[in-house]
Amino acid sequence: MLSTDTDILSAAESWRRDGRAVALATVIETWGSAPRPVGSHLIVDDAGNFLGSVSGGCVEGAVITEAIEVIEAGAPRVLEFGVADETAWRAGLSCGGRIRVFVERVD
Amino acid sequence: MRADLLTELNAERAARRAAILVTDIADGAQRLVKEAEIAVDPLGPVLGKHLASAKSGLVEVDGRTLFLTVHVPPVRLVVIGAVHISQAMAPMAAGLDLALSVIDPRTAFATPERFPGVELVAEWPDAVLGSRVPALDRYCALAALTHDPKIDDPALKAALAAGCFYVGALGSRKTHAARVARLTEAGFSPEQIGRIRAPIGLPIGAVSPAEIALAVLGEVVAALRRVPRPEAA
């Protein structure tokens, strides 16, 4: 299913109504070449299902992992992703940009 | 985000009203400011600026870092004419997240078989805009594609009056010159009439209906992304 910015927040609401635990990730800052603009959303449920995007697919895996932790812990987090570095364990953006992503639980 | 805030935000979006979610990124504290409340909000000026540009972003206020998620109504595309170009445009518009309505009083053109899954209204534009089809507003794009002034003109007049962010009309330069004369006669100013994109579409040498649809949608996206939105009323 193709998801657009329009229906992601509606989906978050309906997921919650269905009793699923949901986290919302939002791109809050970008530097350089970033694939998704500030304000882009990704929603994740506790089973790892997700809708939307915060990058071109480069860091979604890491965001989903962190989002599941946020669902468990409750406190929001700010994640930062930069240029991919083969020596770094974290996911990176191969486009050379940097992004910051705010992850919060939908209570 | 609190579920009640999310519900409230989605309700504003469904009603095509702008709203800004203010989030303190240090602790996640949030509040929703609706379009009508911005003027009296303590952060009014900065919120107004973000609303006008329709851009989300971080702001520093009293040593706190706040993220403003700016929600403007989903963009609608109203196409006058259930023609071949509109048929090609329908799936492309869906992919671009443009809510499409196709209006054409000619029932031979406006058939569900030709437009599966599309909001199709087989009525005169001036009879349905503001009733069966929601009234045009500044978050709407209008493309008049029938070549028939009886059908296109009332819709173009409504689009200019409503301040649609994009108004395009199909037709040759000669056809458009006649259209300009009619709209001038009807009392529209040269500035208003000058907002009509004609010939319609980006100049990509489009020939087939799908190529023309692509050119028009490219022009709609360019208008949406490049031109600052008008100030909130």
Side-chain angles (χ1 to χ4, degrees):
Chain A
M1 180 182 126
L2 181 71
S3 59
T4 61
D5 286 331
T6 300
D7 53 29
I8 290 165
L9 291 178
S10 306
E13 193 181 336
S14 84
W15 286 12
R16 276 300 293 140
R17 211 175 289 132
D18 294 344
R20 294 152 76 175
V22 180
L24 171 68
T26 307
V27 177
I28 58 170
E29 203 168 11
T30 66
W31 297 266
S33 147
R36 295 287 284 133
V38 168
S40 299
H41 290 306
L42 169 77
I43 56 169
V44 182
D45 73 5
D46 49 344
N49 297 301
F50 69 99
L51 196 64
S53 65
V54 293
S55 76
C58 326
V59 302
E60 270 73 5
V63 172
I64 290 162
T65 305
E66 296 265 1
I68 291 170
E69 289 174 20
V70 166
I71 286 173
E72 286 162 8
R77 293 183 188 177
V78 176
L79 314 177
E80 187 166 336
F81 299 97
V83 180
D85 179 344
E86 343 177 83
T87 61
W89 64 273
R90 284 197 86 143
L93 293 168
S94 50
C95 49
R98 275 199 298 147
I99 61 171
R100 277 214 292 164
V101 178
F102 182 74
V103 184
E104 62 191 310
R105 186 169 74 182
V106 179
D107 289 316
Chain B
M1 188 194 292
R2 298 198 318 266
D4 61 324
L5 270 187
L6 179 60
T7 304
E8 207 179 335
L9 172 59
N10 282 334
E12 291 304 299
R13 292 158 58 85
R16 295 188 62 77
R17 289 189 295 260
I20 300 181
L21 184 70
V22 182
T23 305
D24 186 325
I25 63 164
D27 59 11
Q30 277 169 332
R31 63 194 183 92
L32 185 68
V33 184
K34 298 174 187 171
E35 189 170 10
E37 302 163 350
I38 287 176
V40 295
D41 193 87
L43 299 179
V46 66
L47 295 181
K49 210 174 107 204
H50 275 262
L51 181 68
S53 67
K55 282 202 166 69
S56 300
L58 290 167
V59 293
E60 297 286 332
V61 178
D62 299 333
R64 306 183 76 86
T65 304
L66 306 175
F67 183 69
L68 307 180
T69 317
V70 178
H71 293 277
V72 294
V75 173
R76 287 168 53 207
L77 171 62
V78 177
V79 172
I80 308 303
V83 296
H84 201 169
I85 298 167
S86 330
Q87 286 181 280
M89 197 182 279
M92 298 183 195
L96 290 167
D97 203 13
L98 299 168
L100 176 67
S101 305
V102 176
I103 304 173
D104 195 327
R106 301 168 300 177
T107 49
F109 285 85
T111 67
E113 292 72 32
R114 286 161 48 83
F115 290 88
V118 174
E119 192 200 22
L120 181 66
V121 183
E123 304 275 356
W124 290 87
D126 40 346
V128 292
L129 285 171
S131 54
R132 235 184 107 183
V133 178
L136 298 172
D137 59 32
R138 64 186 196 277
Y139 302 105
C140 288
L142 181 122
L145 305 179
T146 71
H147 287 109
D148 183 341
K150 289 196 303 300
I151 306 172
D152 282 351
D153 279 13
L156 289 170
K157 288 172 185 168
L160 293 178
C164 291
F165 75 89
Y166 174 90
V167 186
L170 194 69
S172 65
R173 285 185 172 78
K174 196 174 150 199
T175 307
H176 188 59
R179 182 184 291 132
V180 169
R182 290 193 306 274
L183 291 171
T184 304
E185 181 74 16
F188 286 90
S189 70
E191 291 71 31
Q192 285 178 302
I193 296 169
R195 295 196 53 237
I196 300 175
R197 319 277 177 135
I200 198 169
L202 297 178
I204 57 171
V207 174
S208 71
E211 289 167 3
I212 296 167
L214 180 66
V216 172
L217 289 175
E219 195 170 48
V220 168
V221 172
L224 178 66
R225 298 301 183 195
R226 284 187 199 156
V227 181
R229 286 165 198 273
E231 292 289 332

